[in-house]
Amino acid sequence: MVEHQIEARGIHNPRVLAVMRDIPRHVFIPHPYDQSAYDDNPLPIGNGQTISQPYIVALMTELLHPETSDNVLEIGAGSGYQAAILSRLVQRLTTIERIPSVTILARNNLKSLGIRNVEVIEGDGTQGYPPNAPYNGIMVTAATPEIPRTLIDQLTDGGLLVAPVGGRDVQQLVTLEKQGSIMIPQYHGWVRFVPLIGKHGWEN
Ligand code: SAM
């Protein structure tokens, strides 16, 4: 999976490649879809939600420039797979999930791999999570019509946010770098995510 679907498509950060090799994706995918765990596709995890495609997980992780001392926020815990990847690259990760049963799924999956530096919070991630802010990085793993100001406010100066921004069907993968009061955007191609539903996202 890593050699053919991730490295060959331009992901070069050696720490990202190493952790993508180490974390078993099948642990995060319910039967019978776990049989396709190492194909480069998103897969159902229940409740109409998905685990993202491995290449997109690797790309978003690389775009966040994770450092070992970082405090990071993920919005949309889903299966917990992206959180498991990030947990090995940063010091502390908070991940938020709006669906209660999916929150439990993420917690159980992370626990089964003995991952301890991730806090899984049930709630509306469009409001961020002020108790653990400020964050060096924020990763939004659901499609948002725009980047909520509340999230930008919870970034450190110099912090990076990565999110799929656009319509309900297709979005641009965007990074924003916070430099004082200025946000510097970069665009990284088209993606397709399930919607971010909440106060500063989609209504339903
Ligand atoms: N990162 C996940 C993984 O590794 O499996 C995949 C995320 S899935 C594409 C998007 C997730 O975002 C879904 O589980 C969905 O319930 C969640 N979500 C949608 N709106 C949300 C919100 N406002 N706050 C937190 N989670 C939200």
Side-chain angles (χ1 to χ4, degrees), residues 131-142:
N132 292 353
Y135 303 100
N136 307 96
I138 299 180
M139 182 185 289
V140 183
T141 65

Side-chain angles (χ1 to χ4, degrees), residues 49-50 74 76-79 82 97-99 124-125 141 194-195 197:
Q49 304 306 321
T50 52
E74 182 198 18
S79 68
Q82 175 72 75
E97 173 54 53
R98 67 176 272 273
I99 300 175
D124 175 10
T141 65
V194 296
I197 296 169

Side-chain angles (χ1 to χ4, degrees), residues 22-199:
D22 278 0
I23 300 285
R25 188 168 182 255
H26 67 267
V27 167
F28 295 85
I29 301 172
H31 192 70
Y33 305 107
D34 55 346
Q35 288 165 12
S36 308
Y38 300 98
D39 295 351
D40 196 27
N41 290 317
L43 290 167
I45 56 167
N47 287 277
Q49 304 306 321
T50 52
I51 178 173
S52 303
Q53 175 188 354
Y55 168 69
I56 295 295
V57 170
L59 176 62
M60 290 176 79
T61 306
E62 185 170 74
L63 289 173
L64 209 62
H65 296 163
E67 300 287 345
T68 46
S69 59
D70 279 356
N71 178 34
V72 169
L73 175 68
E74 182 198 18
I75 296 159
S79 68
Y81 178 65
Q82 175 72 75
I85 298 289
L86 284 168
S87 75
R88 296 273 293 272
L89 300 169
V90 303
Q91 187 172 72
R92 181 185 192 194
L93 178 73
T94 306
T95 183
I96 312 182
E97 173 54 53
R98 67 176 272 273
I99 300 175
S101 61
V102 178
T103 310
I104 292 166
L105 175 77
R107 260 188 213 132
N108 288 343
N109 286 341
L110 290 162
K111 196 171 165 197
S112 76
L113 292 182
I115 292 170
R116 292 167 197 270
N117 60 340
V118 180
E119 205 176 330
V120 185
I121 306 291
E122 183 192 315
D124 175 10
T126 68
Q127 303 186 65
Y129 190 67
N132 292 353
Y135 303 100
N136 307 96
I138 299 180
M139 182 185 289
V140 183
T141 65
T144 181
E146 56 187 31
I147 294 171
R149 179 75 228 177
T150 30
L151 298 186
I152 292 169
D153 291 343
Q154 290 173 37
L155 268 183
T156 57
D157 195 16
L160 275 169
L161 182 150
V162 56
V165 183
R168 280 188 83 111
D169 293 333
V170 67
Q171 307 88 33
Q172 284 247 59
L173 192 58
V174 179
T175 49
L176 284 186
E177 185 183 344
K178 186 173 180 176
Q179 289 295 347
S181 58
I182 297 171
M183 298 301 298
I184 302 165
Q186 284 193 314
Y187 301 89
H188 308 276
W190 296 98
V191 289
R192 199 180 282 263
F193 275 78
V194 296
L196 182 75
I197 296 169
K199 189 175 176 197

